[in-house]
Amino acid sequence: MSHDWRVSNRVEQIQKSAIHEMTRLSKEVEDVAFLSWAKPTSGTPEHINEAAISAVKSGLVGGYSQNSGLLELREEIVRKLKRDNNIDADISQILVTVGAIEGLSAAVMALIDPGDEIILPSPTYSTHIRQVIIASGKPVLVPLIEEEGFILDIDGIKNAITPKTRAIMYCSPSNPTGTVFDEKQLRQLAKIALENKLMIITDEAYEYFVFDNQKHFSIASIPEMKNNVVSCYTFTKTYAMTGWRIGYLHAEEKLILQITKAHIPFAICAPVISQYAALAALKGSQDCVKKFREHYLLTRNLMCERLDRLNSIFEYQKPGGSYLMFPQILLEAGKDSTTFCKQLLKEAKVSTTPGIAFGFTGEGHLRLSFCVSEEEIAKAFDRMDIYFKNL
Ligand SMILES: Cc1ncc(COP(=O)(O)O)c(C=O)c1O
């Protein structure tokens, strides 16, 4: 049927999400072993649910909150940033957002004009690429150094800077590679930002899921960077609160006022019920976070052991954080990761995400999530063992 609307160039450029496509295809497969989503499979801890219910019953959630979020929540966030991120913040520097995603989008909207460039060390979370495109910016993908554990290519980033570059945007721990960028590299990145008058936009969604001897470092903890960073955080992963849609960002006060101007047309404020749930999450026991981390360490180790047995098919960098990993496919057929993953789903009933979803630098890889049960990993790898043996 004909129609009179014309889609904007901004939206036209956005490619269909390979993650959603794999989810859709996976639904057609009975008893699928599902390693496609970066979504915690555990439920939200009970004390958080209870706090939300109690806020509803007390009549606290029917109206909007301040655009920047409930004062008590922002006060608690300030304490958390000091305690866990070594960031000295003030409540005027906090904006509560609809998940990290809305915060990141608002920050990008506030910081770039059409045609401006944002450097994305990549492979990276595909939504970041889309956030730049929807703001009519140009994502500039600079490959991570895979052989050294998907670390930042500091020289590559320097060389990618042009007069149009406005910011560098990264997630650490990383989706999809599981890398935790170390303090030394992040200090080098900070230096580049200061020398070139660039902003750094961070996505620290997986900040608490760090293993072995790795340490999560927040670049905003460097005092000289106080006017050059927007740091984005979320409750989604830390407290298994995907559906609550609640996160926050930190930046200097004047910039927060500008980002809030971008936040209002999309959200007015973050869902108030979720703000009360988030308050309970921060104020309550943190044992649940420890439990999730211990589980992901266990499932990471299990996934690595199982991948070791398939070492003629996959080569991987052991993830130091998040609950994701990004093996390279050694087979010729893996050069087209979309076809490879679709075939794996159809023939072996294992759902994964094609690496191309995370930028061209991700081609030839697939993303595996270990935020699932040990049984799910065993099921997926038992099937892959048979499938690849019979190839
Ligand atoms: C790196 C990263 N950032 C942000 C998100 C989503 O965060 P939120 O639910 O807080 O919007 C995800 C979800 O997969 C993610 O992997």
Side-chain angles (χ1 to χ4, degrees), residues 76-364:
E76 212 51 54
I77 290 169
V78 164
R79 275 192 273 281
K80 174 267 178 190
L81 287 174
K82 180 71 196 154
R83 187 188 65 221
D84 293 351
N85 304 87
N86 197 24
I87 296 173
D88 273 318
D90 182 84
I91 46 166
S92 61
Q93 300 170 336
I94 307 297
L95 174 65
V96 179
T97 55
V98 185
I101 289 304
E102 190 259 328
L104 288 159
S105 292
V108 171
M109 282 287 182
L111 287 170
I112 68 169
D113 279 320
D116 284 346
E117 295 172 5
I118 295 194
I119 293 177
L120 300 155
S122 132
T124 192
Y125 182 40
S126 45
T127 305
H128 294 172
I129 302 172
R130 295 196 184 95
Q131 285 168 328
V132 178
I133 293 173
I134 208 140
S136 298
K138 181 176 167 204
V140 176
L141 306 187
V142 175
L144 295 166
I145 307 177
E146 178 167 6
E147 317 73 73
E148 295 179 39
F150 287 115
I151 61 168
L152 293 169
D153 179 357
I154 295 291
D155 287 332
I157 291 171
K158 269 190 211 159
N159 293 336
I161 295 172
T162 75
K164 292 222 160 249
T165 310
R166 293 283 164 269
I168 303 167
M169 184 169 173
Y170 69 81
C171 52
S172 177
S174 158
N175 177 2
T177 66
T179 323
V180 182
F181 299 144
D182 70 16
E183 179 173 342
K184 187 167 163 234
Q185 281 216 308
L186 290 177
R187 285 188 181 275
Q188 290 172 322
L189 202 64
K191 194 160 168 270
I192 296 176
L194 291 172
E195 282 169 1
N196 294 279
K197 299 189 188 311
L198 302 178
M199 291 301 295
I200 301 271
I201 304 171
T202 74
D203 178 342
E204 303 181 39
Y206 299 96
E207 59 180 324
Y208 291 102
F209 304 138
V210 171
F211 318 118
D212 311 327
N213 301 318
Q214 313 252 5
K215 254 188 109 194
H216 175 68
F217 180 74
S218 294
I219 202 163
S221 66
I222 303 173
E224 296 76 20
M225 289 296 284
K226 72 174 195 297
N227 295 334
N228 288 67
V229 186
V230 181
S231 314
C232 298
Y233 301 91
T234 180
F235 293 85
T236 279
K237 317 284 175 187
T238 312
Y239 301 99
M241 291 176 67
T242 316
W244 296 83
R245 311 306 307 125
I246 185 86
Y248 56 97
L249 55 80
H250 166 255
E252 65 144 321
E253 183 181 352
K254 279 192 192 135
L255 180 53
I256 281 290
L257 291 173
Q258 298 301 326
I259 299 175
T260 306
K261 282 174 21 192
H263 158 77
I264 293 171
F266 286 108
I268 298 183
C269 66
V272 177
I273 182 172
S274 305
Q275 295 194 51
Y276 280 102
L279 185 61
L282 287 179
K283 282 181 128 170
S285 159
Q286 302 300 299
D287 286 355
C288 53
V289 185
K290 184 164 172 270
K291 240 175 63 196
F292 292 147
R293 180 169 51 242
E294 284 166 0
H295 175 71
Y296 299 144
L297 176 61
L298 197 81
T299 49
R300 182 208 60 174
N301 289 345
L302 176 62
M303 191 170 268
C304 289
E305 269 169 42
R306 296 298 304 250
L307 278 167
D308 287 338
R309 293 195 223 162
L310 287 172
N311 62 5
S312 58
I313 315 291
F314 301 113
E315 188 174 292
Y316 69 90
Q317 304 293 328
K318 193 173 185 177
S322 80
Y323 40 60
L324 302 157
M325 57 191 302
F326 203 61
Q328 188 178 353
I329 310 159
L330 301 174
L331 304 176
E332 190 58 28
K335 293 216 161 81
D336 173 356
S337 59
T338 306
T339 309
F340 182 87
C341 288
K342 283 186 180 167
Q343 197 73 12
L344 195 62
L345 175 64
K346 195 161 150 236
E347 306 284 332
K349 301 214 282 185
V350 177
S351 178
T352 59
T353 307
I356 189 72
F358 306 93
F360 70 91
T361 49
E363 187 52 299

